[in-house]
Amino acid sequence: MQERPATPISEFARYLRTETVGGVVLLVATAIALIWANSPWSPAYDAMRGAVVGPAALHLDLTLAKWATDGLLAVFFFVVGLELKRELVIGELSTRSQALLPVAAALGGMIVPAVLALSVGWGAPGIDRAWAIPVATDIAFALGVLAVAGSALPVSARVFLLGLAVADDLGGIIVIAVLFSSGLDALWFGAVVLACTAYWWLQRRRFRAWWLYVPLALFTWFAVHEAGVHATISGVLLGLLTRVRADPDEEFAPALRLEHRLQPWSAGLCVPVFALFAAGVPIGPDALRAVFVEPVALGVMVGLLVGKIIGIFGSCWLVIRLTPASRPRGLDWRDLAAVSMLGGVGFTVSLLIAELSLAGLPDVLESAKAAILLASAAASVIGAAMLVRRVRVRARENGDDDTAAA
């Protein structure tokens, strides 16, 4: 029997469509948050963010903003975990030769922005953890911009950006797990290990009953929360433990089925609601001035706008020059530079890291959030302009080639 393709083109196209639509919804939610937070009704916005719900006996009396961060983003990170597992096992990161370029690009796109942010903000309160803010790339926005402005580029551009974003997500997950775990509780950590082992065993034994998995997933989330690790890590753990290879009697593997079901909810609801609670920052003259004066905010801006393209493009150049790796098929260096610029679209995970790293410094947090929004918008516009130019140049070159051939 011929083996079914691990990642059909139609599946990849579906992924891009979902992320593109999700990017539009995310943009709308961000606009609503900004308008609401800067309107005469801003007290209602602050009251909504600060409203406390949940049982205090379980230490779950959290604000709605915290529920959006810890709860809804756990679904987003579960989808990230599924995609990461699939790419590592059967996708773009499954072999050393395939993984080398996007992983190197992701590493460069994390290290250089972090170093620049730390250098610019050196000595400022909060920079000891806020240096991690510009390490992230928002896959929804980045793929959305590429789909709109660079649709005529070869599909290898999208594959490279997806592989880069997946590797970048893994790095961001590690940063969150290492930097933002506090007072690890050994007993609850043991409960996390047991819950994850049970999930792995159910997957290995081919159990498919949702009524087993849903309570187990909720308990895992709760145990991670109580263990002192950021609750979103529970989603990553379960995603990485989900099977990605289909059995002979299965049409799709569990990871692919879950992606089909959860990705629209993640991209269309969970992430936009998080943005609604997180992106409402002042954008008046004083707030905008603080972005360019406050060292942490300025470091975030420089990290995203300058550090990302230098780190991603520079790493690609070094790896291609020093190893057998080659540029993605059909792309030249200018195409790769345009795609690298999209790495500066931080947004979702950058906002999350900002919330975690600057929770005790509200004024610095507000200016850092404004810096994330401005830098992400600027990276989107600059990246889109570079992509449009590349598409036009390619069209003109192809027209000249056709004329010469005739």
Side-chain angles (χ1 to χ4, degrees), residues 75-112:
V75 179
F76 164 73
F77 274 98
F78 179 64
V79 175
V80 168
L82 293 172
E83 180 63 24
L84 178 59
K85 175 72 174 288
R86 192 157 61 87
E87 293 299 323
L88 288 171
V89 176
I90 57 177
E92 292 301 314
L93 305 179
S94 59
T95 66
R96 183 178 301 177
S97 59
Q98 288 177 305
L100 184 57
L101 191 64
V103 168
L107 283 174
M110 294 179 67
I111 293 170
V112 175

Side-chain angles (χ1 to χ4, degrees), residues 41-401:
W41 300 280
S42 60
Y45 177 79
D46 294 333
M48 178 191 70
R49 292 184 78 251
V52 177
V53 296
L58 297 177
H59 305 139
L60 293 179
D61 48 337
L62 309 176
T63 64
L64 289 178
K66 188 69 171 173
W67 275 113
T69 300
D70 288 9
L72 291 180
L73 281 193
V75 179
F76 164 73
F77 274 98
F78 179 64
V79 175
V80 168
L82 293 172
E83 180 63 24
L84 178 59
K85 175 72 174 288
R86 192 157 61 87
E87 293 299 323
L88 288 171
V89 176
I90 57 177
E92 292 301 314
L93 305 179
S94 59
T95 66
R96 183 178 301 177
S97 59
Q98 288 177 305
L100 184 57
L101 191 64
V103 168
L107 283 174
M110 294 179 67
I111 293 170
V112 175
V115 170
L116 286 179
L118 191 60
S119 301
V120 172
W122 186 260
I127 195 62
D128 56 322
R129 297 208 292 179
W131 59 262
I133 294 173
V135 304
T137 294
D138 190 291
I139 185 60
F141 267 155
L143 280 175
V145 174
L146 181 61
V148 172
S151 58
L153 291 180
V155 71
S156 57
R158 297 164 180 77
V159 173
F160 170 74
L161 183 58
L162 179 60
L164 162 67
V166 168
D168 186 276
D169 282 339
L170 177 59
I173 290 162
I174 293 171
V175 167
I176 292 170
V178 172
L179 282 187
F180 306 112
S181 298
S182 57
L184 191 66
D185 187 297
L187 187 61
W188 279 110
F189 184 77
V192 172
V193 173
L194 289 175
C196 289
T197 302
Y199 184 90
W200 170 83
W201 184 82
L202 290 172
Q203 285 286 298
R204 186 177 178 85
R205 301 289 295 182
R206 276 41 181 183
F207 279 90
R208 300 180 185 180
W210 66 267
W211 51 266
L212 282 174
Y213 286 111
V214 172
L216 183 58
L218 292 174
F219 176 77
T220 305
W221 178 89
F222 178 69
V224 170
H225 181 271
E226 292 298 293
V229 182
H230 195 263
T232 53
I233 299 300
S234 61
V236 181
L237 293 174
L238 296 182
L240 291 174
L241 292 172
T242 304
R243 284 194 301 115
V244 296
R245 295 187 187 276
D247 289 336
D249 62 333
E250 291 180 312
E251 184 178 3
F252 299 109
L256 200 55
R257 288 201 308 271
L258 286 167
E259 270 195 81
H260 270 285
R261 292 175 183 174
L262 293 179
Q263 193 182 26
W265 290 100
S266 171
L269 177 67
C270 296
V271 174
V273 170
F274 164 74
L276 179 66
F277 282 99
V281 296
I283 54 173
D286 292 338
L288 292 177
R289 190 180 307 113
V291 171
F292 298 96
V293 174
E294 207 286 316
V296 172
L298 188 58
V300 170
M301 286 276 287
V302 172
L304 285 173
L305 276 179
V306 180
K308 277 291 185 180
I309 187 169
I310 292 176
I312 294 172
F313 185 79
S315 296
C316 288
W317 186 87
L318 283 174
V319 168
I320 291 170
R321 293 290 182 185
L322 301 177
T323 74
S326 59
R327 289 197 308 270
R329 188 170 56 255
L331 300 185
D332 66 19
W333 286 111
R334 290 165 295 180
D335 298 326
L336 204 56
V339 175
S340 298
M341 188 69 233
L342 297 182
V345 184
F347 209 78
T348 306
V349 181
S350 290
L351 284 174
L352 173 60
I353 295 176
E355 294 265 4
L356 296 175
S357 61
L358 298 171
L361 299 166
D363 292 339
V364 180
L365 173 59
E366 294 300 303
S367 61
K369 284 184 178 181
I372 292 168
L373 298 177
L374 287 174
S376 297
S380 298
V381 171
I382 296 171
M386 293 172 70
L387 289 168
V388 168
R389 175 171 174 75
R390 290 305 306 148
V391 168
R392 288 177 177 172
V393 168
R394 279 172 165 271
R396 188 163 58 247
E397 289 174 349
N398 290 337
D400 292 342
D401 291 344

